Amino acid sequence: MKKRQAASKAELQIARIVWDLGSATVRQVFERVDASRDLDFKTVQTYLRRLEAKGYLRTRQEGRSKVYSPKVRPGQVIRETVDDFLQRLFDGATLPLVQHLIHERDISPEEIQELREMLDRWEAEHQPEEQD
């Protein structure tokens, strides 16, 4: 399968709107764009066309309007984006990213506890079964 071209930050913001709505026309997406973004209708339309061309969205014609809907799930896009990020910055290694986040970000005690619990659950699920 051909690798999907990465979406820009602005394109992903538009894609999130379509994901939230399930399907939408350009007008519906435009009406949901944060007013502080100062995007005009044509720019939103351009982003939607790019997302379709890159394989993130599909379209169908309803009367005179194009209706955009997700072609891929948000989780798949997140996975691909994080994998690309890890590959480019950390040669695909996960631990350096986690170390960076722990050392460079303010992690609350609650988040540390949640991390511990997550690691404990992961370990429990991935323990080799003992044989009698």
Side-chain angles (χ1 to χ4, degrees):
M1 182 171 93
K2 185 179 156 196
K3 187 176 176 186
R4 186 180 358 273
Q5 185 180 352
S8 70
K9 181 180 176 182
E11 290 168 345
L12 285 174
Q13 289 171 338
I14 296 300
R16 275 193 212 105
I17 294 171
V18 177
W19 288 327
D20 288 345
L21 294 172
S23 65
T25 63
V26 178
R27 170 89 34 221
Q28 290 169 322
V29 173
F30 176 70
E31 289 171 354
R32 295 280 301 263
V33 172
D34 184 349
S36 67
R37 297 264 338 272
D38 196 31
L39 292 179
D40 63 24
F41 184 87
K42 288 284 189 193
T43 303
V44 170
Q45 187 174 45
T46 299
Y47 285 145
L48 288 166
R49 286 181 181 152
R50 286 182 192 166
L51 287 163
E52 179 187 12
K54 291 179 178 183
Y56 292 87
L57 301 177
R58 63 172 53 98
T59 60
R60 69 179 186 281
Q61 200 69 34
E62 282 189 12
R64 293 179 41 183
S65 297
K66 264 189 175 181
V67 178
Y68 292 86
S69 60
K71 189 170 182 178
V72 293
R73 294 186 194 130
Q76 182 178 348
V77 175
I78 291 168
R79 193 170 29 263
E80 290 170 359
T81 303
V82 170
D83 287 349
D84 178 62
F85 176 77
L86 278 172
Q87 196 58 49
R88 286 185 294 119
L89 264 56
F90 300 103
D91 263 348
T94 306
L95 189 57
L97 171 62
V98 174
Q99 289 170 326
H100 170 79
L101 293 172
I102 288 171
H103 294 296
E104 299 298 326
R105 299 284 182 162
D106 290 329
I107 297 180
S108 71
E110 293 82 15
E111 290 171 316
I112 291 171
Q113 183 59 37
E114 192 175 332
L115 239 159
R116 280 192 177 106
E117 291 168 6
M118 190 184 314
L119 288 170
D120 290 343
R121 278 191 308 273
W122 187 92
E123 273 187 326
E125 292 169 5
H126 293 85
Q127 287 283 343
E129 291 190 28
E130 291 184 29
Q131 297 184 8
D132 292 331

